[in-house]
């Protein structure tokens, strides 16, 4: 079973509009961390935002916010006031506790295209 | 200052060759990782090192071997390259093992095996 599911292979949004990228996750651990990364066409991976499983409030970082619904196991990324530079692949990822180290487990990504 | 650097950025080689990708981080982090991104953009963990000790070795062919001369470096050696090894390889580092530590990624190395 997939640990991280991103159901939207591609999304389009008009410049200056808000957009929500979906992410659902699967874990039986009460402790976990959820991350969103951006990968522009240049290829680098850019960390955007983090949400801990015990965090009471939704995480926010500038124009990025995370709509965290723990009971539904969803961690959707909301980008407000989209800009042309937001066009990129977006990856949702999770870290779970395990013996030793904790790598990121990624979803398959959503390609966001911002239209002028 | 580059936080996580990788060399080379592009690597084109023939089947059967042996190659290495170097990774260095100047963040003082304790843990480093190698990820593989396939042609469909799917990212998967290959290895991680914590204080020079291999912690994770996923189902990766033993032709791939990580080598860490010190805490700041984690190099990836690949023997007998195959066509299916063509991918983008990312090095990453994080401050520790805690679930809340984000990982900082290098720029990636695009490996093409012909």
């Amino acid at each position: 079973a997939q640990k991280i599911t991103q159901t939207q292979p591609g999304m389009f949004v008009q410049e200056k509009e808000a957009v929500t990228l979906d992410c659902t996750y699967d874990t039986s651990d009460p402790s976990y961390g959820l991350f969103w990364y951006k990968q522009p066409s240049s290829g680098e991976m850019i960390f955007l935002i983090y949400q801990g499983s015990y965090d009471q409030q939704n995480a926010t970082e500038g124009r990025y916010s995370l709509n965290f619904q723990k009971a539904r196991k969803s961690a959707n990324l909301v980008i407000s006031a989209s800009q042309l530079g937001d066009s990129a692949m977006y990856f949702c990822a999770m870290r779970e506790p395990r013996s030793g180290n904790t790598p990121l487990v990624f979803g398959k990504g959503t390609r966001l295209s911002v239209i002028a | 200052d580059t936080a996580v650097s990788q060399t080379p950025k592009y690597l084109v080689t023939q089947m059967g060759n042996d190659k290495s990708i170097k990774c260095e981080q100047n963040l003082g982090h304790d843990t480093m990782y190698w990820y593989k991104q396939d042609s469909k953009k799917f990212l998967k963990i290959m290895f991680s090192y914590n204080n020079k000790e291999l912690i994770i070795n996923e189902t990766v062919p033993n032709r791939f071997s990580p080598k860490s001369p010190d805490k700041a470096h984690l190099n990836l050696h690949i023997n007998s390259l195959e066509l299916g090894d063509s991918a983008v390889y990312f090095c990453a580092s994080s401050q520790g093992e805690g679930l809340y530590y984000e990982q900082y990624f290098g720029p990636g190395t695009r490996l093409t095996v012909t």
Side-chain angles (χ1 to χ4, degrees):
Chain A
Q2 287 188 55
K3 287 281 187 179
I4 298 288
T5 302
Q6 294 180 253
T7 57
Q8 308 150 312
M11 290 277 287
F12 289 90
V13 65
Q14 202 75 32
E15 197 177 6
K16 300 181 184 177
E17 297 291 314
V19 63
T20 298
L21 307 183
D22 295 342
C23 173
T24 58
Y25 57 92
D26 181 27
T27 180
S28 56
D29 278 303
S31 298
Y32 50 88
L34 297 160
F35 300 79
W36 278 91
Y37 282 82
K38 172 184 178 181
Q39 186 177 38
S41 58
S42 50
E44 70 269 32
M45 295 288 290
I46 302 167
F47 165 71
L48 294 178
I49 196 167
Y50 162 80
Q51 181 82 46
S53 59
Y54 292 117
D55 292 345
Q56 296 296 313
Q57 293 186 330
N58 288 342
T60 60
E61 287 287 347
R63 295 187 298 110
Y64 303 108
S65 61
L66 206 150
N67 184 357
F68 181 46
Q69 299 187 43
K70 194 170 181 177
R72 299 178 63 181
K73 293 188 176 178
S74 74
N76 299 338
L77 177 71
V78 180
I79 305 175
S80 63
S82 296
Q83 302 172 357
L84 295 178
D86 294 334
S87 294
M89 284 289 290
Y90 289 81
F91 293 96
C92 181
M94 179 170 64
R95 292 181 90 171
E96 300 173 277
R98 46 195 287 190
S99 60
N101 212 335
T102 52
L104 287 167
V105 176
F106 286 89
K108 294 186 176 180
T110 295
R111 182 174 298 279
L112 177 67
S113 299
V114 181
I115 305 167
Chain B
D1 286 343
T2 303
V4 183
S5 60
Q6 293 178 231
T7 53
K9 189 167 175 61
Y10 300 96
L11 183 54
V12 181
T13 188
Q14 291 184 329
M15 286 175 57
N17 285 348
D18 302 337
K19 290 293 179 185
S20 295
I21 304 172
K22 295 185 177 181
C23 176
E24 177 182 3
Q25 55 96 2
N26 62 7
L27 298 167
H29 286 170
D30 289 331
T31 309
M32 296 182 72
Y33 308 83
W34 277 105
Y35 289 87
K36 178 181 179 180
Q37 186 173 41
D38 63 24
S39 58
K40 296 184 178 180
K41 299 288 188 179
F42 186 57
L43 277 148
K44 189 172 181 181
I45 182 71
M46 297 178 72
F47 304 103
S48 71
Y49 257 72
N50 188 329
N51 289 326
K52 297 175 66 174
E53 180 184 358
L54 178 65
I55 300 296
I56 299 172
N57 186 346
E58 297 291 323
T59 54
V60 172
N62 58 13
R63 298 181 295 102
F64 291 80
S65 57
K67 288 184 169 51
S68 180
D70 55 56
K71 198 173 82 165
H73 296 84
L74 182 64
N75 303 325
L76 183 64
H77 297 270
I78 315 169
N79 295 325
S80 302
L81 278 156
E82 300 177 357
L83 291 176
D85 297 333
S86 294
V88 179
Y89 293 85
F90 284 97
C91 177
S93 72
S94 69
Q95 191 172 344
E97 298 175 10
L99 300 177
Y100 42 85
Y101 288 124
E102 70 264 30
Q103 294 183 11
Y104 294 81
F105 283 76
T109 295
R110 181 175 294 277
L111 171 65
T112 303
V113 182
T114 62

